[in-house]
């Protein structure tokens, strides 16, 4: 009687390390969604890594819903960048659809939870020349965001920066919820759409694509702008945020500056219509407070009992949404390495992704020099934290300074000094794309400051974007810096003198001018 030899079962595959997951994540979101992992907050990436399945599952597309949920940017509110809505209402009657007797067709690309779509509908409804002839399509790559947008019900966080009376014509208070006027639904529709998958709705008079391309890689940005150009009718216009990367001149857009609210126009061949003057045009009724006595009584039945509209008051003080619990998380040294690795990926993500595809994922510290955990806690106060980051760079710990700068702006996203520090440090380390993201955010926080204008203009040129927008930023910075003594150290300069900064204006392409002070 023979006894069979025991069969040997293959050992289970080794689970992917956090660094391997990070590299696969960068590969997949770059190819599938056009996004750059280096532009996202570290805390968000950490949470995603913790729940991310194995690399094979991520590459197969089975984890796409999870990726869309975590990578959606929900930073939006009503009347955001209101000057663009005002300009749109002034130029809308002369755009191709209404000018030919038809309706105005508007597309809000990457509309998130829909506040932009409803603002567009309310503003256009209040434009007498359109006589209600318009439609607004909102798309986003996250189905959950589209579901929220279709509901048209919002909390006070979406109202920040507003006086309640400004939106009383089309947002109705229902307890602690603000509901969109149901009559606006006749002009709107929503759909799921990924800007990297094509299928752009054609024949648009207007496209809003704001505050989304800052998260995209340069090659994806160009692809999206080509698609937006094709989706516009000849003579149609595109609005992007001032902090977004601007379309390259080679794409063919005409740049229109309307009292500081820039937009882009697709030329219509031989007939080039000058933009309508906007200086003296009145603000549309939906975008300015209306006297209480002048408000019409809505005739649409409200679905639930409504609290009386409040008298005009200042915008409510609204706490930011509570952060999702992130669990214990990785150790400080691993977290710092992740931040630094994200920066390296901005330079060479293709090489990193190729390593994973070939099964040669690096060890957790291979892509970058090891970053030691900080012995003492970092300062809490933003100014002291910025000074600490500059001190690390001067002490030869630039990688560590860049990693902690990424974390610092996560914790203080509205602090101008930290944004500029993060931009200077990333630029010094050669991470131009990362630096450009921080610089654009700084410019958004203080559009007239010399240093944010200088950083945005110079970094755009270092990325090969030598258009009028970059030049205007440098000219504005030069005018402010030239009025200072050469040895003066302007605010936000990281210790650089006015003379140092003017050297960047003169030779923005030269990286040596970005060296630490």
């Amino acid at each position: 009687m023979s006894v069979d030899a025991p069969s040997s079962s293959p050992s289970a595959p080794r689970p992917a390390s956090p660094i391997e997951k990070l590299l696969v994540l960068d590969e997949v979101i770059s190819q599938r969604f056009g996004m750059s992992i280096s532009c996202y907050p570290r805390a968000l990436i950490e949470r995603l890594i913790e729940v991310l399945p194995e690399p094979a599952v991520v590459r197969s597309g089975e984890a796409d819903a999870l990726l869309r949920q975590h990578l959606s940017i929900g930073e939006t509110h009503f009347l955001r960048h209101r000057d663009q809505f005002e300009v749109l209402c002034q130029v809308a009657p002369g755009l191709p659809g209404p000018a030919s007797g038809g309706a105005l067709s508007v597309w809000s690309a990457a509309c998130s939870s829909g506040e932009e779509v409803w603002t567009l509908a309310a503003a256009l409804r209040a434009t007498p020349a359109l006589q209600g002839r318009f439609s607004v399509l909102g798309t986003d790559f996250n189905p959950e965001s589209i579901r929220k947008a279709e509901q048209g019900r919002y909390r006070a966080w979406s109202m920040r920066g507003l006086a309640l009376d400004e939106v009383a014509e089309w947002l109705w208070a229902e307890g602690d919820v603000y509901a969109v006027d149901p009559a606006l639904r006749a002009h709107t529709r929503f759909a799921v759409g990924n800007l990297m998958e094509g299928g752009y709705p054609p024949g648009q008079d207007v496209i809003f694509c704001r505050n989304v391309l800052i998260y995209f890689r340069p090659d994806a940005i160009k692809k999206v702008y080509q698609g937006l150009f094709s989706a516009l009718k000849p003579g149609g216009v595109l609005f992007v945020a001032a902090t977004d990367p601007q379309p390259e001149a080679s794409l063919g857009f005409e740049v229109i500056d309307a009292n500081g609210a820039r937009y882009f126009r697709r030329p219509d061949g031989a007939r080039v219509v000058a933009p309508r003057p906007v200086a003296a045009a009145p603000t549309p009724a939906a975008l300015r407070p209306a006297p209480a006595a002048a408000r019409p009584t809505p005739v649409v039945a409200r679905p639930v009992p409504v609290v009386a509209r409040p008298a005009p008051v200042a915008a409510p003080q609204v706490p930011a949404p509570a952060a999702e619990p992130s669990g214990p998380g990785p150790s400080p040294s691993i977290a710092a390495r992740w931040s630094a690795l994200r920066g390296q990926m901005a330079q060479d993500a293709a090489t990193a992704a190729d390593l994973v595809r070939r099964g040669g994922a690096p060890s957790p510290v291979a892509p970058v020099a090891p970053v030691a955990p900080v012995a003492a806690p970092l300062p809490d106060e933003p100014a002291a934290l910025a000074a600490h980051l500059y001190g690390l760079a001067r002490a030869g710990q630039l990688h560590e300074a860049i990693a902690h700068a990424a974390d610092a702006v996560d914790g203080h996203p509205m602090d101008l000094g930290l944004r500029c520090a993060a931009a200077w440090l990333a630029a010094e380390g050669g991470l131009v794309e990362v630096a450009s993201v921080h610089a654009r955010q700084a410019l958004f926080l203080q559009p007239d400051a010399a240093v944010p204008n200088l950083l945005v203009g110079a970094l755009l040129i270092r990325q090969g974007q030598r258009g009028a927008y970059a030049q205007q930023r440098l000219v504005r910075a030069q005018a402010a810096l030239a009025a200072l003594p050469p040895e003066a150290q302007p605010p936000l300069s990281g210790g650089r003198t006015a003379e140092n900064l003017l050297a960047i204006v003169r030779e923005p392409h030269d990286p040596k001018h970005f060296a630490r002070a």
Side-chain angles (χ1 to χ4, degrees), residues 289-385:
R295 298 179 194 150
T297 302
V299 296
V300 181
R302 301 180 183 180
V304 297
V306 178
V307 176
R309 296 178 180 174
V313 295
Q317 297 298 315
V318 184
E324 298 178 19
S326 57
S331 69
S333 59
I334 291 293
R337 284 198 290 269
W338 285 4
S339 293
L341 179 58
R342 287 184 7 242
Q344 172 116 351
M345 285 178 175
Q347 289 185 305
D348 200 12
T351 300
D354 185 59
L355 280 172
V356 176
R357 282 193 294 272
R358 293 188 284 105
S363 66
V365 297
V368 296
V371 179
V374 178
L378 295 176
D380 292 327
E381 199 274 323
L385 183 51

Side-chain angles (χ1 to χ4, degrees), residues 43-56:
L44 183 151
I45 298 299
E46 284 180 7
R47 289 198 297 270
L48 181 51
I49 290 292
E50 290 173 1
V51 299
L52 203 65
E54 291 300 298

Side-chain angles (χ1 to χ4, degrees), residues 73-78 80 111-116 157-158 160:
I73 302 301
E75 175 55 33
T76 184
H77 54 82
F78 291 109
R80 190 179 188 186
C111 71
S112 187
S113 47
E115 287 91 333
E116 180 176 274
W157 181 245
S158 295
R160 59 195 185 276

Side-chain angles (χ1 to χ4, degrees), residues 154-174:
Y154 299 89
R155 298 288 181 177
W157 181 245
S158 295
M159 304 282 291
R160 59 195 185 276
L162 298 177
L164 298 179
D165 202 49
E166 293 183 89
V167 293
E169 291 298 322
W170 50 281
L171 276 175
W172 297 343
E174 300 176 356

Side-chain angles (χ1 to χ4, degrees), residues 198-289:
Y200 291 12
Q204 301 299 318
D205 294 294
V206 182
I207 297 176
F208 271 54
C209 185
R210 308 186 304 170
N211 302 295
V212 61
L213 293 180
I214 56 174
Y215 299 98
F216 278 41
R217 302 178 62 85
D219 55 334
I221 291 170
K222 184 172 183 179
K223 177 179 179 179
V224 170
Y225 273 131
Q226 289 171 336
L228 297 176
F229 186 93
S230 299
L232 284 171
K233 297 175 183 175
V237 296
L238 166 69
F239 289 84
V240 301
T243 53
D244 283 321
Q246 307 295 289
E248 297 177 3
S250 60
L251 292 175
F253 282 107
E254 294 177 346
V255 183
I256 311 294
D257 280 310
N259 296 336
R262 164 175 298 201
Y263 61 95
F264 300 87
R265 181 178 181 276
R266 175 177 172 173
D268 52 358
R271 187 178 67 87
V272 178
V273 180
R276 303 179 76 185
V278 299
T283 300
L287 303 182
R288 65 172 185 266

Side-chain angles (χ1 to χ4, degrees), residues 463-475:
Q463 294 177 87
Q465 300 183 42
R466 299 176 177 272
Y469 182 76
Q471 297 295 335
Q472 289 169 358
R473 304 280 71 76
L474 291 178
V475 168

